[in-house]
């Protein structure tokens, strides 16, 4: 089996961080392997391209690492090929020795409250995808001609949403933010942004660096209420734990914010704690948010929000729900609907008590949406260790691999793009950005990317 012409053929589904780290771990294994990476968009890099905020360019430098992996012998990119649309899981299993799902968490958790879907209420996925030029969200509209926005959730995605709403648009002009978003943000009349947490300041999920940035936005006052910073004994226990340094730093920042005044700044960000949304108010669009006041219950490090019975209303025109992402089910495979992941045992996909032979999962679809980009490296190494252990034990069955798979595409109208074709798109985007002083101007429509590469 381990001869070059009978290489192990492995398909990685998804080209974000977890997919690239899985490919890297496979290619470093010292075995004759062919790794085919399938990606539903013509462009690679997943959330690094369409999730990382445009004003955080350093985080995108990891693309250089992925680019090196993509240029390695034994690697092939099959862009514009969607699992479920262009190929099925059964077909992939027939063509490859193993498939590794690295599709991330492409959807959002629901609040499950009345009015959640009123016009003016948006998910973080929609807003982040929109300003980052993801083709799925290109035509979403956000009415930024309003004054008051509420963001639900206190994690780093909420911080990204808030920063893009609050920053002076001129500071975004030389980033890779999409032109349509820049145009809309230039007309923005947003004055107040309220960020709501269901628990307290000690439980906010921001990393201190991201929280500090919110306090440094030009012409923007960042405010918190002193009363929310009177923490109980269990919160103090949490803050005194050296393993929980982020929480202590966050609370120090929130304390600084309590001393700030709105003054005549152009915008203000206000943090609210111990509030759970219970209803989005409005007849034909968002007019307000009813929230229930909470107290914390339970032991330190496991404190949960519990309703006090008191409610209040926040008037607002726009709502952004940033309460965590979730994976989407893959036809033909089991799904844990509660956790929004593909059920697995350390990366081996499971169906009840059984493992599904030859099918693996990594990244956010494996463990849920947590950690930073680099967290996915160890996660993918873990999955790949099991893939390789199973494969070297497996019977030597030949699989037709990617050439045979590609041969199916023309009849289906699937036009797959190679990595070289992505590099053409990359070069054209960089060229489009140059006159505007931007690192790139992304193509936001798949048809334009296909036309550029001669697949129009
Ligand atoms: P997150 O960090 O898990 O934060 C989710 C927030 O939503 C928490 O405040 C959570 O509160 C709240 N929440 C959850 N369910 C809720 C409900 N039903 N009602 C009200 N609030 C609710 O998720 P995220 O912000 O989406 O970030 C995902 C991951 O990406 C994180 O690991 C994050 O650090 C990472 N990320 C990193 C960066 C960066 O490094 N710059 C940027 C973006 C994202 P509880 O704590 O009470 O559950």
């Amino acid at each position: 089996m381990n001869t070059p012409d009978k290489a192990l053929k492995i398909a990685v589904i998804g080209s974000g961080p977890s997919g690239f780290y899985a490919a890297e771990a496979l290619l470093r294994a010292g075995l004759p392997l062919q790794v085919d990476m399938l990606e539903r968009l013509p462009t690679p890099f997943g959330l690094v391209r369409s999730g990382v905020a445009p004003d955080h360019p350093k985080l995108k430098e990891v693309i250089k690492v992925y680019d090196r992996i993509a240029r390695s012998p034994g690697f092939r990119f099959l862009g514009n090929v969607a699992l479920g649309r262009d190929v099925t899981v059964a077909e992939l299993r027939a063509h490859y020795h193993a498939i590794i799902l690295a599709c991330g968490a492409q959807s959002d958790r629901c609040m499950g409250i009345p009015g959640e879907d009123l016009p003016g209420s948006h998910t973080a996925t929609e807003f982040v995808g929109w300003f980052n030029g993801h083709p799925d969200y290109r035509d979403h509209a956000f009415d930024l001609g309003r004054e008051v926005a509420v963001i639900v959730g206190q994690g780093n995605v909420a911080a990204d949403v808030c920063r893009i709403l609050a920053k002076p648009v001129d500071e975004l002009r030389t980033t890779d933010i999409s032109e349509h978003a820049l145009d809309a943000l230039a007309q923005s009349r947003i004055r107040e942004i309220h960020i709501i947490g269901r628990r307290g300041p000690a439980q906010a999920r921001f990393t201190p660096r991201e929280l500090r940035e919110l306090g440094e936005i030009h012409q923007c006052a960042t405010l918190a209420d002193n009363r929310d910073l009177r923490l109980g004994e269990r919160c103090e226990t949490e803050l005194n734990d050296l393993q929980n340094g982020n929480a202590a730093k966050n609370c120090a920042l929130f304390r600084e914010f309590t001393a700030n005044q709105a003054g005549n700044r152009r915008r203000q960000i206000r943090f609210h704690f111990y509030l759970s949304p219970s209803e989005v108010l409005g007849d034909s669009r968002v007019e307000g948010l009813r929230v229930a006041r909470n107290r914390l219950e339970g032991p330190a490090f496991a404190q949960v929000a519990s309703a006090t019975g008191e409610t209040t209303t926040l008037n607002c025109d726009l709502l952004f729900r940033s309460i965590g992402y979730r994976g989407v089910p893959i036809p033909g495979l089991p799904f844990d609907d509660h956790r929004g992941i593909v059920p697995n045992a350390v990366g081996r996909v499971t169906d009840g008590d059984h493992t599904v032979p030859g099918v693996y999962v990594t990244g956010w679809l494996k463990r849920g949406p947590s950690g930073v980009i680099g967290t996915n490296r160890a996660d993918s190494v873990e999955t790949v260790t099991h893939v390789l252990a199973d494969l070297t034990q497996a019977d030597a069955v030949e699989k037709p691999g990617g050439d045979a798979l590609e041969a199916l595409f023309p009849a289906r109208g699937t036009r797959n793009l190679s990595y070289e074709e992505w590099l053409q798109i990359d070069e054209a985007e960089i060229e489009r950005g140059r006159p505007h002083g931007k690192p790139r101007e992304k193509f936001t429509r798949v048809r334009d990317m296909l036309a550029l590469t001669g697949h129009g």
Side-chain angles (χ1 to χ4, degrees):
M1 186 169 188
N2 292 341
T3 57
D5 56 327
K6 291 186 179 174
L8 294 168
K9 297 174 181 96
I10 303 183
V12 175
I13 320 302
S15 67
S18 63
F20 268 103
Y21 291 130
E24 178 187 49
L26 288 164
L27 294 167
R28 280 188 176 176
L31 294 168
L33 281 171
Q34 172 64 40
V35 179
D36 289 354
M37 179 176 277
L38 279 65
E39 162 60 55
R40 79 184 172 98
L41 292 177
T43 54
F45 312 133
L47 273 192
V48 180
R49 177 177 162 97
S50 61
V52 171
D55 58 341
H56 280 172
K58 277 210 164 332
L59 292 179
K60 300 186 198 218
E61 284 179 9
V62 71
I63 283 179
K64 290 182 199 149
V65 175
Y66 305 155
D67 179 65
R68 272 202 300 278
I69 297 166
R71 292 168 193 260
S72 309
F75 180 96
R76 166 174 24 198
F77 180 69
L78 294 162
N80 200 35
V81 179
L83 184 55
R85 182 189 67 194
D86 302 299
V87 281
T88 64
V89 169
E91 285 170 333
L92 289 180
R93 292 176 75 183
H95 283 78
Y96 292 92
H97 291 98
I99 66 173
I100 303 178
L101 306 164
C103 316
Q106 298 174 45
S107 168
D108 297 78
R109 283 188 199 133
C110 278
M111 295 194 297
I113 60 171
E116 187 162 358
D117 296 320
L118 271 174
S121 167
H122 308 281
T123 63
T125 297
E126 290 163 347
F127 190 59
V128 172
W130 173 76
F131 64 63
N132 273 327
H134 191 299
D136 287 1
Y137 306 103
R138 169 66 181 84
D139 295 318
H140 269 63
F142 299 89
D143 185 355
L144 303 179
R146 310 271 170 166
E147 296 207 345
V148 184
V150 165
I151 302 171
V152 180
Q154 295 191 330
N156 281 340
V157 172
D160 286 348
V161 169
C162 181
R163 243 184 15 265
I164 297 301
L165 288 173
K167 261 195 175 178
V169 73
D170 286 343
E171 292 185 25
L172 298 171
R173 287 193 193 282
T174 51
T175 71
D176 69 0
I177 191 168
S178 288
E179 204 61 40
H180 60 261
L182 207 50
D183 290 345
L185 288 163
Q187 305 299 321
S188 170
R189 297 182 60 218
I190 302 268
R191 286 171 39 78
E192 289 177 30
I193 304 163
H194 299 267
I195 308 188
I196 293 186
R198 62 178 168 181
R199 298 190 289 159
Q203 289 80 32
R205 302 271 186 98
F206 305 114
T207 42
R209 190 172 161 277
E210 273 62 30
L211 181 58
R212 187 173 302 109
E213 263 187 294
L214 294 181
E216 292 170 348
I217 297 173
H218 186 60
Q219 274 299 314
C220 180
T222 306
L223 311 166
D225 189 328
N226 205 14
R227 286 168 295 185
D228 289 333
L229 271 297
R230 288 183 206 135
L231 303 174
E233 201 179 311
R234 286 163 298 161
C235 288
E236 294 295 350
T237 306
E238 292 181 13
L239 296 185
N240 289 331
D241 187 300
L242 292 179
Q243 307 291 318
N244 200 23
N246 278 356
K249 287 182 192 152
N250 282 348
C251 282
L253 286 163
F254 287 130
R255 279 188 214 288
E256 286 177 26
F257 298 159
T258 64
N260 292 343
Q261 304 289 327
N264 56 359
R265 306 282 182 95
R266 213 168 145 237
R267 289 191 171 126
Q268 55 170 271
I269 298 168
R270 188 175 286 277
F271 289 93
H272 302 257
F273 301 96
Y274 311 108
L275 297 179
S276 281
S278 57
E279 185 179 357
V280 185
L281 305 171
D283 290 331
S284 56
R285 58 160 294 116
V286 172
E287 290 170 15
L289 184 67
R290 179 158 298 138
V291 287
R293 184 160 291 283
N294 299 323
R295 68 169 79 85
L296 293 180
E297 283 185 355
F301 302 105
Q303 297 190 78
V304 294
S306 171
T308 60
E310 188 190 329
T311 61
T312 180
T313 298
L314 294 169
N315 293 328
C316 64
D317 313 298
L318 275 170
L319 182 68
F320 295 92
R321 291 117 63 192
S322 181
I323 61 169
Y325 295 138
R326 50 183 278 122
V328 293
I330 294 172
L333 288 176
F335 191 69
D336 178 339
D337 199 47
H338 179 65
R339 295 185 61 199
I341 61 165
V342 169
N344 68 93
V346 283
R348 292 183 176 105
V349 171
T350 54
D351 194 357
D353 295 338
H354 309 286
T355 54
V356 181
V359 187
Y360 302 81
V361 63
T362 184
W364 279 4
L365 193 56
K366 171 189 178 186
R367 66 174 196 279
S370 64
V372 293
I373 292 169
T375 314
N376 294 295
R377 178 175 248 141
D379 195 353
S380 289
V381 166
E382 179 188 72
T383 293
V384 166
T385 304
H386 298 298
V387 174
L388 296 174
D390 295 350
L391 281 175
T392 43
Q393 286 167 21
D395 291 337
V397 181
E398 263 192 63
K399 295 279 184 171
D403 290 339
L405 191 76
E406 262 188 274
L408 301 175
F409 293 157
R412 298 176 181 183
T414 301
R415 309 221 182 276
N416 63 293
L417 269 70
S418 65
Y419 196 74
E420 288 65 34
E421 286 170 314
W422 147 247
L423 292 176
Q424 266 178 269
I425 297 173
D426 185 39
E427 203 181 300
E429 288 187 344
I430 292 169
E431 203 50 49
R432 276 155 49 103
R434 216 184 300 279
H436 309 285
K438 299 176 76 174
R440 69 177 61 239
E441 186 60 56
K442 290 178 193 163
F443 289 100
T444 57
R445 299 201 189 275
V446 169
R447 64 166 182 266
D448 293 341
M449 302 182 208
L450 295 181
L452 181 88
T453 50
H455 295 284

Short mmCIF file of all heavy atoms in Angstrom, two decimals, residues 359-396:
data_model
loop_
_atom_site.label_atom_id
_atom_site.label_comp_id
_atom_site.label_asym_id
_atom_site.label_seq_id
_atom_site.Cartn_x
_atom_site.Cartn_y
_atom_site.Cartn_z
N VAL A 359 -14.27 8.19 8.56
CA VAL A 359 -14.75 9.58 8.63
C VAL A 359 -14.31 10.21 9.95
O VAL A 359 -14.54 9.66 11.03
CB VAL A 359 -16.29 9.67 8.48
CG1 VAL A 359 -16.73 11.13 8.38
CG2 VAL A 359 -16.76 8.91 7.24
N TYR A 360 -13.68 11.37 9.83
CA TYR A 360 -13.07 12.06 10.99
C TYR A 360 -13.51 13.51 11.00
O TYR A 360 -14.00 14.03 9.98
CB TYR A 360 -11.54 11.96 10.90
CG TYR A 360 -11.07 10.53 10.85
CD1 TYR A 360 -11.08 9.82 9.65
CD2 TYR A 360 -10.67 9.86 12.01
CE1 TYR A 360 -10.68 8.49 9.59
CE2 TYR A 360 -10.26 8.53 11.96
CZ TYR A 360 -10.28 7.85 10.76
OH TYR A 360 -9.90 6.54 10.71
N VAL A 361 -13.28 14.17 12.10
CA VAL A 361 -13.68 15.58 12.20
C VAL A 361 -12.62 16.33 13.01
O VAL A 361 -11.96 15.74 13.88
CB VAL A 361 -15.10 15.69 12.81
CG1 VAL A 361 -15.18 15.14 14.23
CG2 VAL A 361 -15.64 17.12 12.76
N THR A 362 -12.46 17.60 12.70
CA THR A 362 -11.50 18.42 13.44
C THR A 362 -12.00 19.86 13.55
O THR A 362 -12.92 20.26 12.84
CB THR A 362 -10.11 18.36 12.77
OG1 THR A 362 -9.18 19.09 13.59
CG2 THR A 362 -10.11 18.98 11.37
N GLY A 363 -11.37 20.62 14.45
CA GLY A 363 -11.68 22.05 14.57
C GLY A 363 -13.02 22.30 15.27
O GLY A 363 -13.46 21.52 16.11
N TRP A 364 -13.65 23.41 14.91
CA TRP A 364 -14.88 23.81 15.59
C TRP A 364 -16.01 22.80 15.40
O TRP A 364 -16.88 22.69 16.25
CB TRP A 364 -15.30 25.20 15.10
CG TRP A 364 -14.54 26.32 15.77
CD1 TRP A 364 -13.51 26.18 16.65
CD2 TRP A 364 -14.76 27.73 15.63
NE1 TRP A 364 -13.07 27.42 17.07
CE2 TRP A 364 -13.82 28.39 16.46
CE3 TRP A 364 -15.65 28.51 14.89
CZ2 TRP A 364 -13.75 29.79 16.57
CZ3 TRP A 364 -15.58 29.89 15.01
CH2 TRP A 364 -14.65 30.52 15.83
N LEU A 365 -16.01 22.10 14.27
CA LEU A 365 -17.06 21.10 14.06
C LEU A 365 -16.85 19.88 14.96
O LEU A 365 -17.75 19.10 15.18
CB LEU A 365 -17.06 20.67 12.58
CG LEU A 365 -18.26 19.88 12.08
CD1 LEU A 365 -19.57 20.62 12.31
CD2 LEU A 365 -18.12 19.55 10.59
N LYS A 366 -15.65 19.75 15.51
CA LYS A 366 -15.32 18.64 16.40
C LYS A 366 -15.56 19.00 17.86
O LYS A 366 -16.11 18.22 18.63
CB LYS A 366 -13.84 18.29 16.19
CG LYS A 366 -13.24 17.30 17.17
CD LYS A 366 -11.72 17.24 16.94
CE LYS A 366 -11.00 16.31 17.90
NZ LYS A 366 -9.53 16.41 17.72
N ARG A 367 -15.10 20.20 18.26
CA ARG A 367 -15.13 20.53 19.69
C ARG A 367 -16.04 21.69 20.04
O ARG A 367 -16.20 22.05 21.20
CB ARG A 367 -13.70 20.84 20.19
CG ARG A 367 -13.10 22.09 19.59
CD ARG A 367 -11.74 22.46 20.20
NE ARG A 367 -11.39 23.83 19.87
CZ ARG A 367 -10.85 24.23 18.72
NH1 ARG A 367 -10.56 23.34 17.79
NH2 ARG A 367 -10.59 25.50 18.50
N GLY A 368 -16.61 22.36 19.03
CA GLY A 368 -17.39 23.57 19.26
C GLY A 368 -16.50 24.79 19.07
O GLY A 368 -15.28 24.68 19.00
N PRO A 369 -17.15 25.98 19.00
CA PRO A 369 -16.42 27.19 18.61
C PRO A 369 -15.67 27.82 19.77
O PRO A 369 -16.15 28.73 20.43
CB PRO A 369 -17.55 28.12 18.13
CG PRO A 369 -18.74 27.69 18.90
CD PRO A 369 -18.59 26.24 19.19
N SER A 370 -14.47 27.35 20.00
CA SER A 370 -13.69 27.89 21.12
C SER A 370 -12.23 28.01 20.70
O SER A 370 -11.77 27.33 19.78
CB SER A 370 -13.78 26.94 22.31
OG SER A 370 -13.18 25.71 21.96
N GLY A 371 -11.52 28.88 21.42
CA GLY A 371 -10.08 29.00 21.21
C GLY A 371 -9.73 29.95 20.07
O GLY A 371 -10.60 30.47 19.38
N VAL A 372 -8.43 30.15 19.92
CA VAL A 372 -7.93 31.04 18.87
C VAL A 372 -7.47 30.19 17.68
O VAL A 372 -7.56 28.96 17.73
CB VAL A 372 -6.79 31.94 19.41
CG1 VAL A 372 -7.32 32.92 20.43
CG2 VAL A 372 -5.66 31.12 19.98
N ILE A 373 -6.99 30.86 16.63
CA ILE A 373 -6.64 30.13 15.39
C ILE A 373 -5.68 28.98 15.69
O ILE A 373 -5.88 27.85 15.25
CB ILE A 373 -6.02 31.12 14.37
CG1 ILE A 373 -7.09 32.10 13.89
CG2 ILE A 373 -5.38 30.38 13.21
CD1 ILE A 373 -6.57 33.28 13.08
N GLY A 374 -4.64 29.27 16.49
CA GLY A 374 -3.62 28.26 16.78
C GLY A 374 -4.13 27.06 17.56
O GLY A 374 -3.53 25.98 17.50
N THR A 375 -5.24 27.22 18.28
CA THR A 375 -5.81 26.10 19.04
C THR A 375 -6.12 24.93 18.10
O THR A 375 -6.09 23.76 18.50
CB THR A 375 -7.12 26.55 19.75
OG1 THR A 375 -6.90 27.80 20.38
CG2 THR A 375 -7.59 25.53 20.76
N ASN A 376 -6.40 25.27 16.85
CA ASN A 376 -6.79 24.21 15.91
C ASN A 376 -5.64 23.32 15.48
O ASN A 376 -5.86 22.25 14.94
CB ASN A 376 -7.44 24.87 14.67
CG ASN A 376 -8.74 25.53 15.06
OD1 ASN A 376 -9.68 24.86 15.46
ND2 ASN A 376 -8.77 26.85 14.99
N ARG A 377 -4.40 23.79 15.71
CA ARG A 377 -3.27 22.96 15.28
C ARG A 377 -3.23 21.67 16.10
O ARG A 377 -3.23 20.57 15.55
CB ARG A 377 -1.96 23.73 15.41
CG ARG A 377 -0.78 22.88 15.01
CD ARG A 377 0.52 23.65 15.01
NE ARG A 377 1.02 23.78 13.66
CZ ARG A 377 1.60 24.86 13.17
NH1 ARG A 377 1.73 25.92 13.92
NH2 ARG A 377 2.07 24.88 11.95
N ALA A 378 -3.23 21.82 17.43
CA ALA A 378 -3.17 20.63 18.29
C ALA A 378 -4.40 19.75 18.07
O ALA A 378 -4.32 18.52 18.06
CB ALA A 378 -3.09 21.06 19.76
N ASP A 379 -5.53 20.39 17.85
CA ASP A 379 -6.77 19.64 17.63
C ASP A 379 -6.65 18.78 16.37
O ASP A 379 -7.00 17.59 16.36
CB ASP A 379 -7.92 20.65 17.49
CG ASP A 379 -9.28 20.01 17.62
OD1 ASP A 379 -9.35 18.77 17.68
OD2 ASP A 379 -10.28 20.74 17.64
N SER A 380 -6.12 19.37 15.30
CA SER A 380 -6.00 18.62 14.05
C SER A 380 -4.93 17.55 14.14
O SER A 380 -5.07 16.47 13.56
CB SER A 380 -5.71 19.58 12.89
OG SER A 380 -6.86 20.33 12.62
N VAL A 381 -3.85 17.84 14.87
CA VAL A 381 -2.82 16.81 15.06
C VAL A 381 -3.44 15.61 15.76
O VAL A 381 -3.19 14.45 15.39
CB VAL A 381 -1.62 17.39 15.87
CG1 VAL A 381 -0.70 16.28 16.37
CG2 VAL A 381 -0.84 18.39 15.01
N GLU A 382 -4.28 15.87 16.76
CA GLU A 382 -4.94 14.76 17.48
C GLU A 382 -5.78 13.91 16.52
O GLU A 382 -5.68 12.68 16.49
CB GLU A 382 -5.83 15.33 18.59
CG GLU A 382 -6.55 14.25 19.37
CD GLU A 382 -7.57 14.84 20.34
OE1 GLU A 382 -8.61 15.33 19.89
OE2 GLU A 382 -7.30 14.79 21.54
N THR A 383 -6.59 14.60 15.70
CA THR A 383 -7.44 13.84 14.76
C THR A 383 -6.58 13.04 13.79
O THR A 383 -6.83 11.85 13.54
CB THR A 383 -8.37 14.82 13.99
OG1 THR A 383 -9.29 15.38 14.92
CG2 THR A 383 -9.14 14.11 12.89
N VAL A 384 -5.55 13.70 13.25
CA VAL A 384 -4.72 13.03 12.23
C VAL A 384 -3.98 11.82 12.82
O VAL A 384 -3.81 10.80 12.15
CB VAL A 384 -3.75 14.05 11.58
CG1 VAL A 384 -2.65 13.35 10.79
CG2 VAL A 384 -4.54 15.00 10.68
N THR A 385 -3.59 11.91 14.08
CA THR A 385 -2.95 10.77 14.73
C THR A 385 -3.86 9.54 14.65
O THR A 385 -3.42 8.42 14.35
CB THR A 385 -2.66 11.10 16.22
OG1 THR A 385 -1.88 12.28 16.24
CG2 THR A 385 -1.93 9.98 16.93
N HIS A 386 -5.15 9.75 14.87
CA HIS A 386 -6.09 8.62 14.81
C HIS A 386 -6.34 8.17 13.38
O HIS A 386 -6.48 6.98 13.12
CB HIS A 386 -7.39 8.99 15.53
CG HIS A 386 -7.16 9.27 16.98
ND1 HIS A 386 -6.68 8.32 17.85
CD2 HIS A 386 -7.27 10.41 17.70
CE1 HIS A 386 -6.53 8.86 19.04
NE2 HIS A 386 -6.89 10.13 18.98
N VAL A 387 -6.38 9.13 12.46
CA VAL A 387 -6.56 8.77 11.05
C VAL A 387 -5.42 7.83 10.64
O VAL A 387 -5.65 6.75 10.07
CB VAL A 387 -6.52 10.03 10.13
CG1 VAL A 387 -6.54 9.64 8.66
CG2 VAL A 387 -7.67 10.98 10.46
N LEU A 388 -4.19 8.24 10.97
CA LEU A 388 -3.03 7.45 10.52
C LEU A 388 -2.97 6.11 11.23
O LEU A 388 -2.65 5.09 10.61
CB LEU A 388 -1.74 8.25 10.75
CG LEU A 388 -1.63 9.54 9.92
CD1 LEU A 388 -0.40 10.33 10.33
CD2 LEU A 388 -1.60 9.23 8.43
N ALA A 389 -3.32 6.10 12.51
CA ALA A 389 -3.32 4.82 13.24
C ALA A 389 -4.32 3.87 12.60
O ALA A 389 -4.02 2.68 12.39
CB ALA A 389 -3.68 5.06 14.71
N ASP A 390 -5.50 4.35 12.24
CA ASP A 390 -6.52 3.49 11.64
C ASP A 390 -6.10 3.04 10.24
O ASP A 390 -6.30 1.89 9.87
CB ASP A 390 -7.86 4.23 11.53
CG ASP A 390 -8.45 4.56 12.90
OD1 ASP A 390 -7.92 4.05 13.91
OD2 ASP A 390 -9.42 5.34 12.95
N LEU A 391 -5.48 3.97 9.49
CA LEU A 391 -5.13 3.64 8.10
C LEU A 391 -4.03 2.61 8.04
O LEU A 391 -4.05 1.71 7.22
CB LEU A 391 -4.68 4.89 7.36
CG LEU A 391 -5.81 5.79 6.88
CD1 LEU A 391 -5.24 7.05 6.26
CD2 LEU A 391 -6.68 5.07 5.87
N THR A 392 -3.05 2.73 8.91
CA THR A 392 -1.95 1.78 8.83
C THR A 392 -2.41 0.39 9.28
O THR A 392 -1.82 -0.60 8.93
CB THR A 392 -0.73 2.26 9.63
OG1 THR A 392 -1.17 2.78 10.86
CG2 THR A 392 0.04 3.33 8.88
N GLN A 393 -3.52 0.37 10.02
CA GLN A 393 -4.07 -0.94 10.41
C GLN A 393 -5.06 -1.47 9.36
O GLN A 393 -5.45 -2.62 9.38
CB GLN A 393 -4.83 -0.81 11.73
CG GLN A 393 -3.91 -0.65 12.93
CD GLN A 393 -4.69 -0.21 14.16
OE1 GLN A 393 -5.89 -0.39 14.22
NE2 GLN A 393 -4.00 0.36 15.11
N ALA A 394 -5.50 -0.56 8.47
CA ALA A 394 -6.57 -0.95 7.56
C ALA A 394 -6.07 -1.90 6.47
O ALA A 394 -4.89 -1.93 6.15
CB ALA A 394 -7.15 0.30 6.89
N ASP A 395 -6.99 -2.64 5.89
CA ASP A 395 -6.64 -3.49 4.74
C ASP A 395 -6.23 -2.60 3.58
O ASP A 395 -6.74 -1.50 3.42
CB ASP A 395 -7.84 -4.33 4.31
CG ASP A 395 -8.15 -5.38 5.35
OD1 ASP A 395 -7.24 -5.72 6.13
OD2 ASP A 395 -9.31 -5.80 5.40
N ALA A 396 -5.31 -3.08 2.78
CA ALA A 396 -4.83 -2.28 1.65
C ALA A 396 -5.82 -2.33 0.49
O ALA A 396 -5.70 -3.15 -0.40
CB ALA A 396 -3.46 -2.78 1.22
#
